[in-house]
Amino acid sequence: MDKVVSLEKAMEALHDNQTILIPGFVNIGVPETLIKGIIDKGCKNLNIISNNTSVRGRGIGLLVHENRIRHITCSHIGSNTETVEKVVAGEIDVTFVPQGTLCERVRAGGAGIGGVLTPVGIGTPVEEGKQIIELDGKKYLLEKALRGDVAIIHAWKADRMGNLVYRRTARNFNQIFATAADIVICEAEEIVEVGALDPDMIHTPGCLVDMIVKA
Amino acid sequence: MDKVVSLEKAMEALHDNQTILIPGFVNIGVPETLIKGIIDKGCKNLNIISNNTSVRGRGIGLLVHENRIRHITCSHIGSNTETVEKVVAGEIDVTFVPQGTLCERVRAGGAGIGGVLTPVGIGTPVEEGKQIIELDGKKYLLEKALRGDVAIIHAWKADRMGNLVYRRTARNFNQIFATAADIVICEAEEIVEVGALDPDMIHTPGCLVDMIVKA
Amino acid sequence: MTDMTLQGRELIAYRTARFFKDGDLVNLGIGMPTMCLNFLPEGVDIWIDSENGVIGLTGAPKEDEEFDPNVVDAAGAVSLLRPGGCCFDSFTSFGLIRGGHVAVTVLGAYEVDQEGNLANWTVPGKTVAGMGGAMDLVSGARTVIVMTEHCDKTGKPKILKKCRLPLTAAGEVDYIVTELCVLHRTAEGLVLEELAPGVTVEEVISKTEAELIIPETIRSMI
Amino acid sequence: MTDMTLQGRELIAYRTARFFKDGDLVNLGIGMPTMCLNFLPEGVDIWIDSENGVIGLTGAPKEDEEFDPNVVDAAGAVSLLRPGGCCFDSFTSFGLIRGGHVAVTVLGAYEVDQEGNLANWTVPGKTVAGMGGAMDLVSGARTVIVMTEHCDKTGKPKILKKCRLPLTAAGEVDYIVTELCVLHRTAEGLVLEELAPGVTVEEVISKTEAELIIPETIRSMI
């Protein structure tokens, strides 16, 4: 099962109006090769789930700049002033989710969990419209699972069947985002042969990855 | 912060009536050195959270044989015929939890999550006494977080500040059990110097581990 | 491999293995389900998922093969791990299972019924082993196949209108493969899709408590 | 390090750093909280937790020091990683944070109140950055320390009876450290535990909207 494909082939899975999971913290661990592929293909009206939107003109910021995003679900946009401008101007809708809750919701979506109870957000605007459940005298918000049509991710090393290793803080949201979409496309800095990675040191099992592109 | 201690020192944290998390799948990844320490110290009337009870006369089976266990929360006891005998004879109480639900509950306990919604167990005896929550037309059981007073775990390699690496399928429940107890004691097959482990290949961060004993 | 003389458990394993597609992640229950590995169709390379946190086990080492005692299967038996295999913790393992990342799970049954209910973990008053990972597997795998002898040892039907034993999961079974037939659980009910060589519709009906839907065309299991 | 002339933000950082114990896992917010690193007490070696999935960052590399561009802090700036540090994914990172494994988190405030409520993420109509990881950190860390100038730039109190801005978390703040004093949030209310050199109880009261409990003995911040 050799999953290595061309960027063009991988982009056949991308379409207008999709919900796309894109990892990255500020601009580290962002799949910029695949983002450029999306821009070149012309996909628009996208619904993005990410932690933030990189920085102006880089990573997810390219999608912001090219006006391809309809809505973003994220924890923070402060690192990209262009995103802030477009949100203020009403050109992009944004839903803010606490960063840990974003992790929980996407992990739940990838792991067949319907939702989790978190104390985070109790007493804050995050409560709005959500069910509050009290357990043993403590209040929790019921936060529902979240999934994407496609996840595009960035790995340091990938073997040809999709086993992945991430590098340092570039791991961030890649590991969970790879679990929670119908199609998972990974760009890798280095592609190695099957068997080259230590079985204990694989961060994402190959069974989760559908296509691999050289970053 | 050198956390390496003698077995005797580590056992000062163990007492009668405690709830103890003990990982292991059948008899792999079981902290047998620490279990023997508990037996030698004489702790009894223990409440054990584990996946199973190893096999007759090994691992958790030693605690079964020595009658130190009052109650077990686990997914399976079939691998240890002595446990089955004692449960049938009413000498040990058992609460069965589906294996994935056990993972979720302990992970929730270690991660500040009050509970999770899982479809597993709907329509089965596992439902009994639990809240059922319907989301988007699908039914889920609310499964509550679970924690221990102490977790005893088994690692392949530990550095002196408690960063851990597990070996192959001996990882099993060690990684999550290390997050969900007030005190975490690890036995390690090999103890290495701080800095000897690759930061990307550490399975359990040292901040979770209180004491390390040579296995 | 299309040996028309295949019978009993071998026939069941042979037919079940035909559900696997190349590259599938497959979880095989302990016992009869592992027999499927002896009957994989040509060109179909599957990856074995083991609930204890490993993908890619290939079975017991031969007498003089090197092995790692830390690599065991879901029965606790030492196994070899193929190149490309990987290990992870139990939490991740059951995330994969419950999250629909396992293509096919194959299990045995005490009872299975026309609503797709399965009972295979406890007989009250007789067994106290616990459910292990069975409930998660049946709830989570994309396709659930029950392989079972059509009747129990006393000749009583195991395929029922409604399970009487405590369930493992409700409404999750997709296919039932026995030495007599293949039944497909659809929204309309249990469809008799295939028959073993020499077996008649009447024989299946007489040995089945569940109501069956009999289509115009019924294929052969082999 | 017990320089009695310390003032303003340096005094706040100096005092805040005295809450750390040797071996503590500490999360420092971007900006003023990172100043604490310049005032660590002797014999206190802390481990820095960064929400983006790393423990053990030590700060920016010097001009000719080698670095890995994949090692960044919570502001996205390249940092060095000390021996014994480790990296993990964001899900694990926030599990550690929310699960009470971070001993101390230090953050700034727009407003903080006598019930331990904190507002530091949004001013409706003015900022649209989002809360990032702040809500998780304030809810989850074992000890929450707010370091802030006692009043805002226009001289208005920031320590209120009740926050008016949208909250970051409710009832989670343990200590407030300002250039004037240290306030301890207890079940009874906000206790004035320490004063900066030369500052009087009256001065603190006049610059604070919150009701304060004034104990018989008040220590010095230095």
Side-chain angles (χ1 to χ4, degrees):
Chain A
M1 277 247 122
D2 190 334
K3 296 177 181 171
V4 179
V5 298
S6 67
L7 180 59
E8 293 64 37
K9 173 71 188 162
M11 286 304 119
E12 290 176 12
L14 274 292
H15 305 290
D16 292 354
N17 307 310
Q18 280 176 327
T19 295
I20 308 180
L21 298 174
I22 312 183
F25 188 94
V26 188
N27 201 40
I28 302 296
V30 180
E32 195 168 275
T33 301
L34 295 172
I35 287 171
K36 287 178 177 164
I38 291 174
I39 286 172
D40 289 346
K41 181 166 175 181
C43 298
K44 58 185 190 304
N45 209 29
L46 301 172
N47 183 22
I48 302 297
I49 299 173
S50 63
N51 181 53
N52 54 31
T53 55
S54 311
V55 294
R56 189 181 276 263
R58 289 296 307 278
I60 303 174
L62 295 169
L63 292 169
V64 172
H65 183 71
E66 299 280 339
N67 297 309
R68 305 304 177 83
I69 302 176
R70 181 184 76 236
H71 187 276
I72 309 173
T73 301
C74 67
S75 84
H76 203 261
I77 56 171
S79 61
N80 187 333
T81 48
E82 189 171 13
T83 311
V84 173
E85 291 159 16
K86 295 202 174 190
V87 167
V88 169
E91 293 167 30
I92 297 177
D93 280 340
V94 64
T95 303
F96 288 121
V97 177
Q99 195 170 166
T101 300
L102 181 66
C103 295
E104 289 293 320
R105 293 182 64 189
V106 175
R107 201 288 303 193
I113 292 294
V116 302
L117 304 184
T118 177
V120 176
I122 287 286
T124 80
V126 170
E127 271 190 19
E128 272 165 41
K130 287 174 191 154
Q131 197 174 338
I132 295 176
I133 291 182
E134 198 166 319
L135 291 183
D136 306 321
K138 186 165 177 178
K139 283 182 181 172
Y140 297 92
L141 287 185
L142 196 171
E143 291 279 7
K144 288 161 73 173
L146 207 52
R147 285 181 61 88
D149 298 310
V150 182
I152 58 173
I153 62 173
H154 180 96
W156 181 42
K157 293 184 183 180
D159 73 18
R160 291 184 163 271
M161 55 174 287
N163 289 305
L164 307 181
V165 178
Y166 308 106
R167 176 78 180 165
R168 302 293 191 257
T169 60
R171 188 168 354 166
N172 56 66
F173 290 82
N174 282 281
Q175 195 167 331
I176 43 166
F177 281 14
T179 68
D182 297 342
I183 298 169
V184 177
I185 308 171
C186 176
E187 61 173 59
E189 296 176 31
E190 190 184 342
I191 295 171
V192 301
E193 293 307 312
V194 171
L197 302 174
D198 179 339
D200 281 337
M201 304 309 169
I202 289 168
H203 296 134
T204 291
C207 65
L208 293 171
V209 177
D210 296 295
M211 290 183 271
I212 301 155
V213 169
K214 180 77 177 68
Chain B
M1 277 245 124
D2 190 335
K3 297 177 181 173
V4 179
V5 299
S6 68
L7 180 58
E8 293 63 36
K9 173 71 188 163
M11 286 303 120
E12 290 176 11
L14 275 292
H15 306 289
D16 292 354
N17 307 309
Q18 280 176 328
T19 295
I20 308 180
L21 298 174
I22 313 183
F25 188 93
V26 189
N27 201 39
I28 302 296
V30 181
E32 196 168 274
T33 301
L34 296 172
I35 288 171
K36 286 177 176 163
I38 292 174
I39 287 172
D40 290 346
K41 180 164 178 182
C43 299
K44 57 185 191 304
N45 207 29
L46 301 172
N47 182 23
I48 302 297
I49 299 173
S50 62
N51 181 53
N52 55 31
T53 54
S54 311
V55 295
R56 188 181 277 264
R58 290 295 308 279
I60 303 175
L62 295 168
L63 293 169
V64 172
H65 183 72
E66 300 280 341
N67 298 310
R68 305 303 176 85
I69 303 177
R70 179 184 77 237
H71 187 276
I72 310 174
T73 301
C74 66
S75 85
H76 203 262
I77 56 172
S79 61
N80 186 334
T81 48
E82 189 169 12
T83 311
V84 173
E85 291 159 17
K86 296 203 173 188
V87 167
V88 169
E91 293 167 30
I92 297 177
D93 281 339
V94 64
T95 302
F96 288 122
V97 177
Q99 194 169 166
T101 300
L102 180 65
C103 295
E104 289 293 321
R105 292 181 65 190
V106 175
R107 200 287 303 191
I113 292 293
V116 301
L117 304 185
T118 176
V120 176
I122 287 285
T124 80
V126 170
E127 271 189 17
E128 272 165 40
K130 288 175 191 154
Q131 196 174 340
I132 295 176
I133 291 182
E134 199 167 318
L135 291 184
D136 306 322
K138 186 165 177 179
K139 284 183 181 171
Y140 298 92
L141 288 184
L142 196 172
E143 292 279 8
K144 288 161 73 173
L146 208 53
R147 286 181 60 89
D149 298 310
V150 182
I152 57 173
I153 63 174
H154 179 96
W156 182 41
K157 292 185 183 180
D159 74 18
R160 291 184 164 271
M161 56 173 284
N163 289 306
L164 307 181
V165 178
Y166 308 105
R167 177 77 180 164
R168 301 293 190 259
T169 60
R171 189 170 350 168
N172 57 64
F173 291 82
N174 282 281
Q175 195 168 331
I176 43 167
F177 282 14
T179 68
D182 297 342
I183 297 168
V184 176
I185 308 170
C186 176
E187 61 172 59
E189 295 175 31
E190 190 183 341
I191 295 170
V192 301
E193 294 307 312
V194 171
L197 302 173
D198 179 339
D200 282 337
M201 304 309 170
I202 287 168
H203 296 134
T204 290
C207 65
L208 293 170
V209 177
D210 296 296
M211 289 182 269
I212 302 155
V213 169
K214 180 77 178 66
Chain C
M1 291 295 275
T2 52
D3 180 347
M4 293 296 286
T5 65
L6 279 173
Q7 289 187 51
R9 295 158 65 95
E10 294 205 322
L11 173 59
I12 298 173
Y14 166 85
R15 179 57 191 91
T16 301
R18 259 98 213 122
F19 280 101
F20 306 154
K21 290 192 213 65
D22 190 39
D24 270 356
L25 184 63
V26 174
N27 190 293
L28 300 174
I30 296 167
M32 182 158 58
T34 59
M35 287 175 59
C36 294
L37 294 175
N38 304 329
F39 296 99
L40 287 181
E42 201 149 315
V44 172
D45 181 20
I46 63 170
W47 287 82
I48 298 299
D49 170 75
S50 296
E51 66 184 23
N52 52 321
V54 53
I55 290 173
L57 295 186
T58 56
K62 294 193 192 95
E63 206 169 309
D64 46 7
E65 255 177 317
E66 268 187 63
F67 65 92
D68 182 332
N70 289 304
V71 180
V72 305
D73 65 18
V78 166
S79 175
L80 297 177
L81 181 59
R82 64 190 281 194
C86 63
C87 298
F88 34 83
D89 79 305
S90 299
F91 175 73
T92 302
S93 175
F94 280 89
L96 290 174
I97 287 167
R98 206 182 31 238
H101 303 289
V102 173
V104 185
T105 191
V106 183
L107 308 90
Y110 297 157
E111 298 175 348
V112 57
D113 72 26
Q114 64 197 43
E115 294 169 16
N117 299 318
L118 172 65
N120 77 346
W121 74 280
T122 189
V123 179
K126 282 181 81 173
T127 60
V128 287
M131 71 290 282
M135 288 189 177
D136 303 271
L137 279 159
V138 180
S139 295
R142 293 205 297 278
T143 302
V144 176
I145 303 177
V146 167
M147 52 191 292
T148 176
E149 271 130 359
H150 205 90
C151 295
D152 71 14
K153 283 171 192 163
T154 69
K156 279 195 211 131
K158 296 177 76 168
I159 303 166
L160 309 177
K161 288 193 201 311
K162 188 102 188 166
C163 287
R164 293 178 271 267
L165 291 170
L167 297 187
T168 304
E172 295 285 0
V173 174
D174 297 297
Y175 292 96
I176 304 166
V177 183
T178 79
E179 75 284 12
L180 302 182
C181 65
V182 175
L183 301 173
H184 182 191
R185 206 266 306 186
T186 67
E188 288 71 40
L190 270 186
V191 180
L192 177 58
E193 288 195 337
E194 300 178 20
L195 284 169
V199 175
T200 63
V201 171
E202 291 64 35
E203 182 180 355
V204 171
I205 290 176
S206 75
K207 293 182 172 170
T208 307
E209 182 194 293
E211 286 180 46
L212 299 180
I213 297 169
I214 314 295
E216 279 190 30
T217 319
I218 301 177
R219 295 187 301 274
S220 170
M221 276 176 74
I222 299 188
Chain D
M1 292 295 273
T2 51
D3 180 349
M4 294 295 287
T5 66
L6 278 173
Q7 290 187 51
R9 294 158 67 96
E10 294 204 325
L11 172 61
I12 298 173
Y14 166 86
R15 177 60 190 90
T16 301
R18 259 100 212 120
F19 280 101
F20 307 154
K21 291 193 211 63
D22 191 39
D24 271 356
L25 185 62
V26 175
N27 190 294
L28 300 175
I30 296 168
M32 182 158 56
T34 58
M35 286 174 60
C36 294
L37 294 175
N38 303 329
F39 296 98
L40 287 181
E42 201 148 313
V44 172
D45 181 20
I46 63 171
W47 286 83
I48 298 299
D49 170 75
S50 297
E51 66 183 24
N52 52 319
V54 53
I55 290 173
L57 294 186
T58 56
K62 292 192 193 99
E63 207 169 309
D64 47 6
E65 256 180 317
E66 268 187 65
F67 65 91
D68 182 331
N70 288 304
V71 180
V72 303
D73 65 18
V78 166
S79 176
L80 297 177
L81 181 59
R82 65 190 278 192
C86 64
C87 299
F88 34 82
D89 79 304
S90 301
F91 175 72
T92 302
S93 174
F94 281 89
L96 291 174
I97 288 168
R98 207 181 29 238
H101 303 288
V102 173
V104 185
T105 191
V106 183
L107 307 91
Y110 297 157
E111 297 175 350
V112 57
D113 72 25
Q114 64 197 43
E115 294 169 17
N117 299 318
L118 172 65
N120 76 346
W121 74 279
T122 190
V123 180
K126 280 181 80 174
T127 61
V128 288
M131 71 289 282
M135 288 188 178
D136 303 271
L137 278 159
V138 181
S139 295
R142 294 205 298 279
T143 301
V144 176
I145 303 178
V146 167
M147 52 192 290
T148 177
E149 270 131 0
H150 204 89
C151 295
D152 71 14
K153 283 171 194 164
T154 68
K156 279 195 210 129
K158 296 177 77 169
I159 303 166
L160 309 177
K161 288 193 200 312
K162 187 102 185 165
C163 288
R164 293 178 271 267
L165 291 170
L167 297 187
T168 304
E172 297 284 1
V173 174
D174 297 298
Y175 292 96
I176 304 167
V177 182
T178 79
E179 76 281 14
L180 302 183
C181 65
V182 175
L183 301 173
H184 183 191
R185 207 268 305 185
T186 68
E188 288 70 41
L190 272 185
V191 181
L192 176 58
E193 288 195 338
E194 300 179 20
L195 284 170
V199 174
T200 63
V201 172
E202 290 66 35
E203 181 181 356
V204 172
I205 291 176
S206 73
K207 292 182 173 172
T208 307
E209 182 194 294
E211 286 180 46
L212 300 179
I213 296 171
I214 314 295
E216 278 189 30
T217 317
I218 302 176
R219 295 187 300 275
S220 170
M221 277 176 74
I222 298 190

